[in-house]
Amino acid sequence: MDGSDVDNPWAPKLITEDEWAGWRISVGDPFEVLAGPFYTRRDEVGRVTCAFRAEQKHMNGGGFMHGGCLATFADYALFMIAETELEGVGSVTAQLNVDFTDGAREGELIEATGEVIRDGGSMVFVRGLVTTAGRTVGGFSAIVKKVRHKG
């Protein structure tokens, strides 16, 4: 193996054109593909930002982003934020807390940023914020459990 991601269906794919040029998209998780699309990028200092454009399918009956969509996006973001700590191991969400603080509307750019609080060996602790247009839409904290692949 040469270390490339050519044969890895979970590896994010780089977008080279349109609004998302320079961002990566994960195409290996069927639910995230259905719920998103969600994008991620890492800046020059290593800070991760995840984003998506809110569409009609993300809205609830009241015209605001559905809480389940926000929670799904937070779950996606926490794995991108902890990507370095989770490299080379399987992992699952052991706990996810989401606080809903404001609504988001169709067409808005939704972004998530965060940090790893602690990499405790088998558990990784993450927290972050979801924002749009300078408003905090929600906050999240999570515990990710590292797991061994059974072969």
Side-chain angles (χ1 to χ4, degrees):
M1 256 181 113
D2 64 2
S4 73
D5 292 327
V6 172
D7 295 326
N8 181 353
W10 299 98
K13 309 297 182 218
L14 181 66
I15 304 296
T16 58
E17 52 191 47
D18 75 26
E19 171 183 19
W20 300 105
W23 293 76
R24 296 179 299 148
I25 184 170
S26 296
V27 294
D29 186 311
F31 185 73
E32 288 174 359
V33 170
L34 178 68
F38 302 139
Y39 302 89
T40 186
R41 71 177 171 196
R42 191 175 293 273
D43 68 16
E44 59 280 347
V45 296
R47 184 177 168 99
V48 172
T49 301
C50 299
F52 74 103
R53 180 74 59 190
E55 301 175 23
Q56 173 60 39
K57 69 178 184 176
H58 300 125
M59 301 299 116
N60 63 22
F64 293 97
M65 187 186 333
H66 194 285
C69 179
L70 182 67
T72 298
F73 180 57
D75 189 64
Y76 163 82
L78 71 93
F79 281 90
M80 297 298 102
I81 292 163
E83 183 178 39
T84 301
E85 290 78 6
L86 300 173
E87 189 172 346
V89 300
S91 53
V92 296
T93 307
Q95 181 176 329
L96 174 61
N97 300 308
V98 181
D99 299 313
F100 305 101
T101 58
D102 199 354
R105 295 251 185 211
E106 185 175 350
E108 290 186 307
L109 179 66
I110 312 300
E111 296 183 298
T113 57
E115 63 184 336
V116 172
I117 301 303
R118 182 168 189 262
D119 181 357
S122 67
M123 303 280 232
V124 179
F125 300 81
V126 183
R127 69 177 171 197
L129 290 176
V130 179
T131 61
T132 185
R135 299 184 336 266
T136 300
V137 177
F140 60 93
S141 61
I143 302 171
V144 177
K145 172 75 173 146
K146 296 178 185 178
V147 295
R148 291 190 176 96
H149 294 288
K150 295 182 181 183

